[in-house]
Amino acid sequence: MNFFRGVISGQAAGPQPSGAETIQKLCDRVASSTLLEDRRDAVRALKSLSKKYRMEVGTQAMDHLINILQTDRSDSEILGYALDTLYNVICNDEEEEQDESEDENAQKQADDLGLQFTDTFVQDPEHVTLLLTLLEEFDFHVRWPGVKLLTALLKNQGPQIQGIILVSPMGVSRLMDLLADSREVIRNDGLLLLQQLTKGNAAIQKIVAFENAFERLLDIITEEGSSDGGIVVEDCLLLLLNLLKNNSSNQNFFKEGSYIQRMKPWFEVGDDNSGWSAQKVTNLHLMLQLVRVMVSPVNSPGATASCQKSMFQCGLLQQLCTILMATGVPADILTETINTVSEVIRGSQVNQDYFASVNAPSNPPRPAIVVLLMSMVNERQPFVLRCAVLYCFQCFLYKNQKGQGEIVATLLPSTIDANSISAGQLLCGGLFSADSLSNWCAAVALAHALQDNLTQKEQLLRVQLATSLGKPPVSLLQQCTNILSQTKAEKGSKVQTRVGLLMLLCTWISNCPIAVTHFLHNQENVPFLTAQISENLGEDERLVQGLCALLLGICIYYNDNSLENYTKEKLKQLIEKRIGKENFVEKLCFITKHELYSRAAQKPQPVFPSPEQMLFDHEFTKLVKELEGVITKAVHKSSEEEKKEEEVKKTLEQHDNIVTQYKELIREQDAQLQELKEQVACMTSQNEQLQATITQQQSQIQQHKDQYNILKLKLAKENQGQSNSQGDGSQVNGLQTEELTQLREEVEELRKQHSLLQTQLGDKDALISSLKSGAAQTAEGPAGGSDNTELLQELEALRSQVQSQSTEIGQLKMERQDLLRRAEVGCSDTLPSSDSSLDAAKMAELESRLGAQTSEMERLKAEVKNLSESRAELEKRLDSTTSTVAILQTEKEKLQTDVQESKKEQDDLLMLLADQDQKITNLKKRLKELGETVEDEDDLDTRDQTDDDDEEDEDED
């Protein structure tokens, strides 16, 4: 223990041992000590020596330190010392390196040392897994050095560590938990760890994204103050860029999760833009880059269009335009904002229309496009800003024919406003200014206004320019060629200006024969181009020669031969005589071999390290790639080959005409067949409707029949009842005389019972009254108590009996009244006053109803018969139509087969005639060789004609 304290405190007792010896003793103590306190002190001493003796500690103590991590998991303090020691050995501390070594070799040696120890540590993947397990410890002294150590390992051996973490169970999830740590130091270092973990590994990026990383990072950015936040916001933005850049899956997840809407508050910059800290500039720059990642031109078109739509709908584009037009914004933020707006509107018609409507806050208000173009053609503006404005203008016109028309319209004479500055005026001013960069930018911008738009190419031919007083105006096309020849005549000619003008001319006249005719109409243009191409000039001029060759090749390829002096054939002859075909093709191919051409072809944004290297435009490289091969073929083709091609084209056109005729015939037949099918379908539907009508009417007839049968049965019953009453007189209204006498007997019997009950009731009442008087007398005597109770009980019984008999009497009375009513009704029916009048009226009514039903039934039968006949007629018509369709179909097939057979027979006859002609010619040749006189067909025709004349003369004689 005294030894350790001496090492740590720096006190020396006797001669001091060397660093390597001290480290060796400490390592032995770590390996051999049984007490945890001794091992802890030894590891603490190794930690204090690990920076000064990095090589020795890493070489001798690494295995012991890893063993400590495996065995002493219960003591957080010794784990923290071991992790700190490993971090000091593996990490390349930049400050330490600058203090110890000033030259590059020493720094490289230190870096190699860190890589060497990292390789030693990750030789066993279980060491990395062990480190991931230790990160689950909540103790600050274990988790924080563990995070730093894993970050250092990822910096030194990123792909290898990423692979181990990827296959480790819940490896990425453990690291994502660091973002939820309440201790800001661990959370912030966890951000740095995730930055290193997600570099260049799409699989880990997807896992981190689906572990809810976007939600957590955006929450942290909001908590830290968004763009006004500190370094933590920057780290979050860098991690977001790692997750989204070149990862379409994460980009789609970010968009679908509605996280684009949460980016809008980042760009809400206040009116007071005077104080912009360096950290705020960095944060806002990264935020703009994050927006650009979502709408980058390298993404799939569908994903880009979807993100552009979301940014417009949530107001993000409007917020960016506000920053664009604000004052006091730093130059680099303004430049990046212009680039961001460019890619948000690129190819999106809605966003482009909105951008065209944005006005700058000036007096009077000017369109944002005009303000930006003023910066582009101003040579005092920064080069990077001018490139950004050019990119914005190109994106505004990309696949935007409406915008192209608006820009070209500002150059036409009928729309020029002398009181305001337009985009066309600024482009013309930049095109003809003394600044070569302005010439190039204006030429490229104007070329984008004509890109893939034949209408605007023709409209731009109308533009006339006033060069000087007293001289007639010249066209814009002619003025461009004049400037091209003037810059060539000047000493130290501006290559950049000439390249820009040549790119504009090539874009203008390509795929536009009218523009080619206008260009060739000037007698000086073709000699100038041939002279440029045929000269032997320096390296800088070879690019101009290649572009001149491209322009001349376009004049050949898109020539409609409307000018006699400059037809395709004459221009090719001119190239062959003045330049040479091989030399022409060599100069043309030099364009694609240029280094700056390859750089410009990579991406649409014009990014150049210096203004001198700004020569090629991205869209122009596509045009060169498209035209180089076809121009080379057009130059090498001879007139005979062109004639053959024309003949082949004519033959193909004839063949196409024949095919078209057959197609039209087939279409007509199909139309007829379709019409017949429609007629059949119509008749089928009519038939179905008639069938339904017939079924409905049959059901109605059946209902009427049923009603008729019911009425008939009722009438029969009534007739039978009347006949019975008239025959024997024993029944009146269904009530027979026997039943009536029986009822009368029952009534008499009931009357007797009633009188009997009345008498019994009187007797009972008398008995009750006598009992009451007897009870009153006995109640007065002293010995009448028991007899009294018996009498009372008997009295109650009698009362109940009387009540039951009273109810029975009431029921009998009701029955008696009912019987009397029935007897009265029967008697009234038997009276002679209603004998035959009611029956006659009833019979007359029934007979009239029966006659009406019979006539209705006859009418329905006739209607059913008519419907059946019409149905049979419709079925006949349907059968005849079906047979007609079948006959037409068979005739069509027969005609088609006849056409095919006739064509085949014609071909066979033509073949036979050709063979016969060949045989006849061969026989004539053989006869001539044998010395026989053979008459030709012309001689035979003349002889036949003379013979016919002779015969006519003889007939007249």
Side-chain angles (χ1 to χ4, degrees):
M1 293 295 295
N2 292 331
F3 171 73
F4 296 133
R5 294 191 183 96
V7 170
I8 295 171
S9 62
Q11 296 176 357
Q16 288 288 333
S18 64
E21 294 174 353
T22 304
I23 292 167
Q24 182 62 43
K25 290 180 181 179
L26 292 171
C27 291
D28 293 339
R29 181 57 59 91
V30 170
S32 59
S33 295
T34 57
L35 293 175
L36 178 61
E37 186 179 355
D38 291 345
R39 294 198 301 276
R40 187 190 303 131
D41 291 338
V43 175
R44 185 190 297 117
L46 286 172
K47 174 191 172 185
S48 63
L49 297 173
S50 59
K51 291 187 177 181
K52 187 175 182 181
Y53 299 101
R54 181 183 178 189
M55 181 72 171
E56 290 79 3
V57 173
T59 306
Q60 300 179 30
M62 182 170 286
D63 293 337
H64 300 294
L65 294 172
I66 293 173
N67 189 37
I68 289 292
L69 298 179
Q70 294 172 340
T71 55
D72 292 331
R73 296 283 300 276
S74 60
D75 186 60
S76 60
E77 190 174 356
I78 193 171
L79 289 176
Y81 292 147
L83 291 170
D84 281 333
T85 307
L86 289 171
Y87 172 74
N88 292 335
V89 169
I90 289 173
C91 179
N92 296 319
D93 195 347
E94 296 180 0
E95 295 181 359
E96 193 71 22
E97 290 169 7
Q98 291 174 0
D99 294 339
E100 291 183 356
S101 58
E102 297 178 357
D103 58 317
E104 295 180 357
N105 293 329
Q107 185 176 357
K108 185 178 180 182
Q109 185 178 359
D111 293 341
D112 293 341
L113 193 61
L115 290 174
Q116 178 184 347
F117 291 140
T118 301
D119 291 337
T120 305
F121 185 84
V122 300
Q123 279 180 356
D124 188 358
E126 291 298 325
H127 296 164
V128 180
T129 307
L130 174 64
L131 187 56
L132 291 172
T133 307
L134 292 175
L135 289 179
E136 294 181 351
E137 296 288 337
F138 187 74
D139 193 293
F140 181 80
H141 298 288
V142 177
R143 185 173 254 196
W144 187 40
V147 171
K148 293 194 295 182
L149 175 58
L150 188 56
T151 306
L153 292 171
L154 283 165
K155 285 181 180 178
N156 294 335
Q157 284 290 350
Q160 190 174 357
I161 303 296
Q162 287 173 342
I164 297 171
I165 293 174
L166 194 58
V167 299
S168 176
M170 301 295 291
V172 179
S173 300
R174 292 172 183 171
L175 301 180
M176 284 298 299
D177 292 339
L178 298 173
L179 296 181
D181 202 305
S182 58
R183 295 160 292 190
E184 290 189 1
V185 176
I186 295 178
R187 184 198 68 183
N188 298 342
D189 283 347
L191 289 171
L192 300 176
L193 170 60
L194 290 171
Q195 284 181 26
Q196 297 297 326
L197 179 66
T198 55
K199 279 184 178 178
N201 194 309
I204 293 179
Q205 290 170 1
K206 291 179 183 178
I207 296 173
V208 171
F210 283 97
E211 288 284 344
N212 205 21
F214 294 140
E215 186 75 30
R216 296 185 185 181
L217 293 173
L218 292 174
D219 289 341
I220 294 172
I221 291 172
T222 305
E223 292 170 3
E224 295 292 329
S226 297
S227 59
D228 294 323
I231 190 70
V232 178
V233 174
E234 180 182 349
D235 292 337
C236 290
L237 293 170
L238 288 172
L239 179 54
L240 283 171
L241 284 172
N242 283 353
L243 294 175
L244 292 173
K245 197 169 186 178
N246 298 325
N247 194 319
S248 58
S249 175
N250 284 0
Q251 289 173 6
N252 186 54
F253 182 65
F254 190 85
K255 179 185 71 67
E256 295 296 334
S258 300
Y259 296 118
I260 291 178
Q261 288 80 345
R262 297 185 61 178
M263 296 166 67
K264 182 193 173 186
W266 296 352
F267 304 102
E268 293 177 354
V269 180
D271 297 333
D272 185 14
N273 295 324
S274 56
W276 285 73
S277 63
Q279 186 62 54
K280 182 176 181 179
V281 171
T282 303
N283 291 344
L284 204 55
H285 197 273
L286 290 172
M287 290 172 179
L288 291 169
Q289 286 186 359
L290 195 61
V291 176
R292 292 185 65 185
V293 164
M294 297 299 296
V295 292
S296 175
V298 300
N299 298 343
S300 64
T304 302
S306 180
C307 291
Q308 288 172 336
K309 182 179 179 182
S310 299
M311 290 178 182
F312 175 75
Q313 290 176 346
C314 73
L316 180 58
L317 174 60
Q318 293 84 331
Q319 203 65 45
L320 292 174
C321 291
T322 303
I323 297 176
L324 194 66
M325 295 291 106
T327 56
V329 180
D332 52 349
I333 294 297
L334 182 60
T335 302
E336 190 64 20
T337 304
I338 293 172
N339 288 328
T340 306
V341 171
S342 305
E343 294 183 351
V344 172
I345 67 173
R346 186 176 189 268
S348 174
Q349 187 65 52
V350 176
N351 294 3
Q352 288 167 343
D353 292 342
Y354 170 76
F355 184 70
S357 66
V358 175
N359 289 323
S362 60
N363 192 14
R366 289 175 178 168
I369 298 172
V370 173
V371 176
L372 292 175
L373 288 177
M374 292 171 69
S375 302
M376 187 185 74
V377 298
N378 187 355
E379 56 185 315
R380 288 176 294 181
Q381 294 292 338
F383 171 66
V384 181
L385 179 63
R386 297 174 75 181
C387 290
V389 173
L390 176 62
Y391 183 47
C392 184
F393 191 73
Q394 291 174 351
C395 292
F396 170 68
L397 297 178
Y398 182 72
K399 293 183 178 179
N400 184 10
Q401 294 192 352
K402 179 183 176 183
Q404 290 174 330
E406 291 174 353
I407 297 298
V408 172
T410 58
L411 288 165
L412 298 178
S414 59
T415 58
I416 292 176
D417 186 4
N419 298 324
S420 63
I421 300 174
S422 65
Q425 294 173 5
L426 290 171
L427 290 176
C428 283
L431 195 62
F432 306 131
S433 70
D435 180 27
S436 60
L437 184 59
S438 297
N439 301 152
W440 191 91
C441 291
V444 171
L446 198 55
H448 276 263
L450 306 175
Q451 195 77 37
D452 299 328
N453 197 327
L454 181 61
T455 304
Q456 303 310 323
K457 290 178 182 180
E458 296 175 357
Q459 286 291 322
L460 201 62
L461 295 172
R462 297 169 49 202
V463 177
Q464 299 290 323
L465 302 175
T467 55
S468 60
L469 293 174
K471 291 186 178 180
V474 297
S475 66
L476 178 60
L477 183 66
Q478 183 58 43
Q479 185 65 15
C480 290
T481 55
N482 292 341
I483 294 173
L484 200 60
S485 58
Q486 289 171 7
T487 53
K488 168 60 183 167
E490 295 175 0
K491 292 184 178 180
S493 60
K494 302 175 182 178
V495 176
Q496 194 173 39
T497 300
R498 298 167 68 194
V499 168
L501 290 171
L502 285 168
M503 286 196 299
L504 172 60
L505 291 172
C506 290
T507 306
W508 191 346
I509 70 172
S510 66
N511 200 19
C512 184
I514 298 175
V516 172
T517 304
H518 277 73
F519 181 78
L520 295 176
H521 193 269
N522 188 353
Q523 302 294 328
E524 299 176 358
N525 290 341
V526 174
F528 169 74
L529 293 177
T530 53
Q532 284 283 301
I533 300 168
S534 59
E535 288 182 0
N536 292 321
L537 302 173
E539 185 70 23
D540 294 338
E541 294 292 333
R542 291 185 66 188
L543 178 59
V544 178
Q545 289 181 324
L547 293 171
C548 290
L550 178 65
L551 184 59
L552 187 57
I554 292 172
C555 291
I556 294 173
Y557 187 71
Y558 292 107
N559 195 339
D560 58 358
N561 296 326
S562 58
L563 295 176
E564 294 182 0
N565 295 332
Y566 294 110
T567 61
K568 288 184 178 181
E569 189 61 32
K570 289 185 178 180
L571 287 175
K572 286 193 286 187
Q573 292 175 2
L574 185 64
I575 289 173
E576 190 172 1
K577 291 178 182 177
R578 299 281 182 88
I579 304 169
K581 290 184 179 179
E582 299 299 329
N583 188 23
F584 178 85
V585 174
E586 182 182 354
K587 297 289 178 66
L588 180 63
C589 294
F590 180 78
I591 301 174
T592 55
K593 295 177 182 177
H594 202 280
E595 178 186 358
L596 297 177
Y597 174 89
S598 303
R599 187 180 300 175
Q602 292 175 0
K603 56 183 180 179
Q605 184 181 1
V607 180
F608 304 98
S610 64
E612 292 78 17
Q613 296 184 2
M614 198 171 185
L615 290 178
F616 284 105
D617 174 57
H618 177 75
E619 292 296 328
F620 181 73
T621 58
K622 293 182 181 178
L623 182 66
V624 173
K625 186 177 180 181
E626 178 185 348
L627 294 178
E628 183 182 5
V630 295
I631 289 174
T632 304
K633 290 180 181 179
V635 170
H636 281 294
K637 278 180 188 175
S638 62
S639 58
E640 295 178 356
E641 291 177 348
E642 288 186 354
K643 288 180 181 178
K644 287 182 180 179
E645 285 186 357
E646 290 178 358
E647 291 177 357
V648 171
K649 286 181 180 178
K650 289 180 180 178
T651 306
L652 291 174
E653 287 177 357
Q654 293 176 356
H655 177 71
D656 291 339
N657 292 332
I658 295 170
V659 172
T660 305
Q661 290 176 2
Y662 278 112
K663 285 182 178 179
E664 289 177 356
L665 178 62
I666 292 170
R667 286 195 192 98
E668 290 176 359
Q669 292 177 348
D670 288 338
Q672 293 175 359
L673 185 61
Q674 186 66 29
E675 186 177 356
L676 291 172
K677 285 182 179 179
E678 290 176 356
Q679 290 179 2
V680 170
C682 182
M683 290 181 179
T684 305
S685 63
Q686 290 178 0
N687 185 25
E688 290 175 354
Q689 291 177 359
L690 291 172
Q691 290 285 354
T693 306
I694 290 168
T695 306
Q696 184 179 0
Q697 290 177 352
Q698 285 178 349
S699 64
Q700 291 177 357
I701 291 168
Q702 187 64 37
Q703 290 177 1
H704 288 304
K705 284 182 178 180
D706 295 338
Q707 292 177 1
Y708 172 73
N709 291 329
I710 292 169
L711 291 172
K712 191 175 180 180
L713 289 173
K714 285 183 178 180
L715 186 61
K717 286 182 180 179
E718 290 175 355
N719 292 332
Q720 185 179 0
Q722 290 176 0
S723 63
N724 290 334
S725 63
Q726 292 174 0
D728 53 2
S730 63
Q731 182 177 358
V732 179
N733 274 345
L735 188 64
Q736 296 180 0
T737 55
E738 295 177 357
E739 293 178 358
L740 186 60
T741 54
Q742 187 178 356
L743 286 172
R744 286 176 179 174
E745 291 175 358
E746 288 179 359
V747 169
E748 290 297 329
E749 186 178 356
L750 286 172
R751 284 178 179 175
K752 291 177 182 179
Q753 289 179 1
H754 179 66
S755 61
L756 180 63
L757 287 172
Q758 286 288 344
T759 56
Q760 289 179 0
L761 183 61
D763 295 340
K764 295 291 184 184
D765 289 336
L767 180 62
I768 289 168
S769 60
S770 64
L771 287 173
K772 284 183 178 179
S773 61
Q777 292 175 0
T778 54
E780 294 177 356
S786 59
D787 296 333
N788 192 13
T789 54
E790 293 177 358
L791 288 171
L792 289 174
Q793 291 176 357
E794 187 179 357
L795 180 62
E796 292 297 326
L798 290 171
R799 284 179 179 173
S800 61
Q801 186 177 1
V802 168
Q803 288 179 356
S804 62
Q805 289 177 353
S806 298
T807 55
E808 187 176 357
I809 290 167
Q811 290 178 358
L812 290 170
K813 285 180 178 181
M814 291 175 64
E815 290 179 0
R816 175 174 172 270
Q817 291 176 0
D818 190 14
L819 289 170
L820 288 172
R821 279 199 304 271
R822 291 175 63 187
E824 289 174 358
V825 170
C827 294
S828 64
D829 288 337
T830 57
L831 293 176
S833 61
S834 57
D835 53 355
S836 62
S837 61
L838 292 175
D839 292 337
K842 197 170 185 180
M843 285 295 293
E845 184 182 357
L846 288 173
E847 286 177 357
S848 63
R849 287 174 64 185
L850 180 61
Q853 290 292 334
T854 306
S855 61
E856 181 69 17
M857 187 179 69
E858 293 295 333
R859 186 182 64 81
L860 291 174
K861 283 182 179 180
E863 192 172 350
V864 168
K865 184 177 180 181
N866 293 332
L867 289 172
S868 300
E869 292 175 356
S870 61
R871 177 188 173 186
E873 184 180 356
L874 286 172
E875 287 178 352
K876 289 179 181 179
R877 288 175 61 188
L878 179 63
D879 294 336
S880 64
T881 306
T882 307
S883 62
T884 305
V885 171
I887 291 168
L888 290 173
Q889 187 68 28
T890 54
E891 288 180 356
K892 177 185 173 184
E893 293 175 356
K894 186 176 179 181
L895 286 172
Q896 288 179 349
T897 54
D898 291 342
V899 169
Q900 295 293 332
E901 290 175 359
S902 62
K903 285 178 67 178
K904 189 174 180 181
E905 289 175 359
Q906 287 177 2
D907 294 336
D908 295 336
L909 287 172
L910 289 172
M911 292 289 292
L912 289 172
L913 289 172
D915 294 336
Q916 290 293 332
D917 291 339
Q918 187 66 31
K919 288 178 180 179
I920 290 168
T921 51
N922 292 333
L923 290 171
K924 286 181 178 180
K925 287 181 181 178
R926 289 179 64 185
L927 288 171
K928 287 180 179 180
E929 290 174 358
L930 294 171
E932 296 291 334
T933 57
V934 180
E935 294 181 353
D936 294 332
E937 291 180 0
D938 296 337
D939 297 337
L940 291 172
D941 293 338
T942 54
R943 181 191 295 176
D944 292 339
Q945 188 173 3
T946 53
D947 292 340
D948 293 338
D949 294 338
D950 293 339
E951 289 177 359
E952 289 177 359
D953 294 337
E954 290 177 358
D955 292 336
E956 290 175 358
D957 293 337

